[in-house]
Amino acid sequence: MAAFMRKLVLILYLSVFFCAKTISTLPIVVNTWPFTNATEAGYNQFLNGGSAVDAVEKGCSRCEVLRCDGSVGEGSDPDENGEVTLDAMIMDGETMDVGSVGCLRNISSAISVARMIMERTDHTLLAGELATKFAVEMGFKESDLSSNKSDMMYKQWKENNCQPNFRVNVSPDPKKSCGPYNPNAVLSKIQNREDKQVSYLNHDTIGMVAVDKNGHVVSGTTTNGLNHKVPGRVGDSPVVGAGSYAQNGMGGAAATGDGDIMMRFLPSYTAVQLMGSGTSPSNAALFSIKPIIKYFPDFNGAVIAVNNKGEHGAACHGSGIGTFHYSVMDNPDKVNLFSVKCV
Ligand code: SD4
């Protein structure tokens, strides 16, 4: 059985490398990483008469439930206190409505909470404990988001003197010791950030774009963020234009990778605007990460881009990722995997 599975995976990956077609038909669902169950769940919404909003919500939900690759959603990547918190967003490119949730505690279906924020409030982003309260009011059930895996990750991190660590300019030295920490009196130059958080082995996040047959574009993300993050941290995934962006007539984009760096450059917004002025999705994705490389030559990250005609592309950077795989479904028969070598 194991040998058969290995063979299947090999065939799948080989078909990726020889797959050159990036022009698709509408409707289409495209998502980061080889999370094909999520792509199918999204596309099935179209087959069942659902909207592009349904496709993104249900597609991302699928990954939350399956914990795609063991790393998306609840049960993985705890913060410094061992707690798992979630970030998610959904954006409707027809109405430019957005619902985002950051540092969501004790609610596993973050993408559905994001949709609830989009559809049941005039706000864009809710965060933390009070986002949980909102979700409970809207009918979501609270549950513990930790698992044996997240407890083990936390234990190992503590046993390893809390390494690696996101704190800087504090005492005791966060590169050697656990906290609690106090701020240093003098700020020293921050060393190059060790960017080992996101790799082909550690996905954490799904980003998705769906375009219906009339060109209605919707994008979304859901993630548990980065392992051993500082409690309270919100990453790029729920930030509009960073984690994802959608605009009818132009296209949609979504990002994955080191969100603390990527959100400073709004790569998803950039990619969509470039597609709007005629740039191909592949180049739009590439140009959206170029400015990041200039300032952070070691960052790991990837962007997928889909224009309103269903053409798609991606670009990535960083040796942690190496080759980036993404999933595309534009027909009821099968999900195709595509790959790009990181620049
Ligand atoms: C974050 N961008 O919270 C996310 C992590 C990620 O694959 O994409 N991992 O920074």
Side-chain angles (χ1 to χ4, degrees):
M1 187 63 183
F4 170 73
M5 287 307 288
R6 269 198 300 277
K7 212 164 153 192
L8 196 69
V9 168
L10 186 68
I11 291 167
L12 213 60
Y13 272 78
L14 284 177
S15 72
V16 166
F17 281 104
F18 294 108
C19 211
K21 177 175 146 302
T22 55
I23 298 178
S24 300
T25 51
L26 297 178
I28 188 170
V29 175
V30 180
N31 59 264
T32 55
W33 309 111
F35 298 153
T36 54
N37 285 317
T39 331
E40 259 170 5
Y43 194 86
N44 281 342
Q45 291 300 310
F46 287 135
L47 294 178
N48 296 329
S51 66
V53 172
D54 297 326
V56 169
E57 186 202 357
K58 298 296 183 245
C60 290
S61 268
R62 188 92 184 119
C63 250
E64 289 172 343
V65 171
L66 294 177
R67 303 187 192 176
C68 285
D69 265 8
S71 66
V72 177
E74 66 173 306
S76 191
D77 297 316
D79 67 14
E80 279 183 352
N81 296 331
E83 180 178 355
V84 177
T85 59
L86 305 177
D87 295 340
M89 74 166 282
I90 188 162
M91 177 164 192
D92 184 333
E94 187 167 282
T95 58
M96 302 307 278
D97 272 345
V98 177
S100 287
V101 66
C103 198
L104 179 67
R105 307 177 86 172
N106 298 325
I107 306 274
S108 59
S109 37
I111 187 72
S112 300
V113 174
R115 181 174 182 172
M116 197 63 88
I117 292 166
M118 179 169 82
E119 294 179 340
R120 313 293 165 141
T121 78
D122 283 334
H123 295 311
T124 298
L125 171 60
L126 297 186
E129 194 65 42
L130 295 177
T132 305
K133 191 163 180 277
F134 164 81
V136 170
E137 279 166 16
M138 293 293 114
F140 291 83
K141 293 267 170 296
E142 285 189 84
S143 62
D144 182 357
L145 302 187
S146 64
S147 67
N148 289 343
K149 180 187 173 187
S150 66
D151 289 348
M152 183 56 72
M153 289 171 101
Y154 176 60
K155 188 164 167 273
Q156 282 170 351
W157 182 70
K158 288 292 265 192
E159 283 168 2
N160 193 31
N161 295 320
C162 303
Q163 302 306 306
N165 192 302
F166 287 108
R167 307 250 181 181
V168 292
N169 281 316
V170 291
S171 299
D173 184 349
K175 295 283 169 265
K176 295 188 183 129
S177 309
C178 296
Y181 303 104
N182 290 308
N184 289 346
V186 179
L187 280 181
S188 63
K189 190 172 175 306
I190 296 174
Q191 298 300 312
N192 267 353
R193 182 188 163 86
E194 285 173 44
D195 198 331
K196 300 198 180 82
Q197 305 304 320
V198 178
S199 72
Y200 64 96
L201 294 171
N202 178 20
H203 297 137
D204 305 324
T205 306
I206 180 168
M208 182 174 276
V209 176
V211 188
D212 78 6
K213 63 179 182 350
N214 301 315
H216 179 184
V217 190
V218 174
S219 67
T221 59
T222 185
T223 185
N224 48 38
L226 297 181
N227 189 15
H228 60 76
K229 61 193 174 186
V230 176
R233 184 250 189 197
V234 175
D236 60 325
S237 300
V239 175
V240 185
S244 84
Y245 200 75
Q247 197 164 350
N248 275 16
M250 296 186 177
T256 182
D258 184 347
D260 292 303
I261 299 300
M262 294 179 83
M263 74 162 96
R264 301 170 193 177
F265 298 86
L266 299 181
S268 295
Y269 175 79
T270 305
V272 171
Q273 299 311 306
L274 286 169
M275 288 189 289
S277 52
T279 307
S280 71
S282 300
N283 279 338
L286 181 63
F287 296 151
S288 78
I289 60 171
K290 282 263 159 98
I292 313 179
I293 304 168
K294 184 175 160 207
Y295 289 90
F296 298 96
D298 296 330
F299 101 99
N300 278 293
V303 172
I304 54 165
V306 188
N307 69 17
N308 56 330
K309 291 183 276 201
E311 296 163 341
H312 54 86
C316 62
H317 183 264
S319 54
I321 297 178
T323 299
F324 172 68
H325 307 290
Y326 68 101
S327 312
V328 178
M329 195 159 184
D330 63 356
N331 68 78
D333 298 330
K334 74 172 179 25
V335 182
N336 284 308
L337 290 177
F338 288 78
S339 67
V340 287
K341 285 242 172 286
C342 294
V343 291

